[in-house]
Amino acid sequence: MRARNRWTRQRQSTAHILANATRATLLAATGTVFGTSFVSDVTEEDGPRWLPDYIYAGANRYVCILRFTVRTD
């Protein structure tokens, strides 16, 4: 059981690092142009936070909610 808990903590730690890296990249997208679209604002609504799945333990995840304002010409 201890080995399983250690493995779960390691997975959770890795997921946290990935969630924070993704969050930083998306928050830095303000001012970015993609073709004819311009990202004028990125706002963090929530997260990243751990969201356990009580039905299927393998589906635990980190959740981060961001709001993008995109203008397309």
Side-chain angles (χ1 to χ4, degrees):
M1 187 61 123
R2 287 183 186 180
R4 182 176 177 184
N5 288 340
R6 191 176 321 123
W7 182 70
T8 300
R9 281 193 305 269
Q10 182 180 3
R11 243 185 5 179
Q12 186 175 355
S13 176
T14 303
H16 187 252
I17 292 167
L18 178 62
N20 279 328
T22 303
R23 173 182 167 256
T25 301
L26 293 174
L27 288 172
T30 301
T32 304
V33 176
F34 296 101
T36 60
S37 300
F38 174 74
V39 180
S40 60
D41 187 39
V42 180
T43 307
E44 184 174 32
E45 299 286 324
D46 184 25
R49 63 182 170 88
W50 184 245
L51 181 65
D53 190 318
Y54 297 105
I55 297 172
Y56 178 63
N60 296 335
R61 64 190 69 73
Y62 270 92
V63 174
C64 182
I65 300 172
L66 299 170
R67 181 181 302 241
F68 286 80
T69 304
V70 180
R71 186 185 76 225
T72 302
D73 293 330

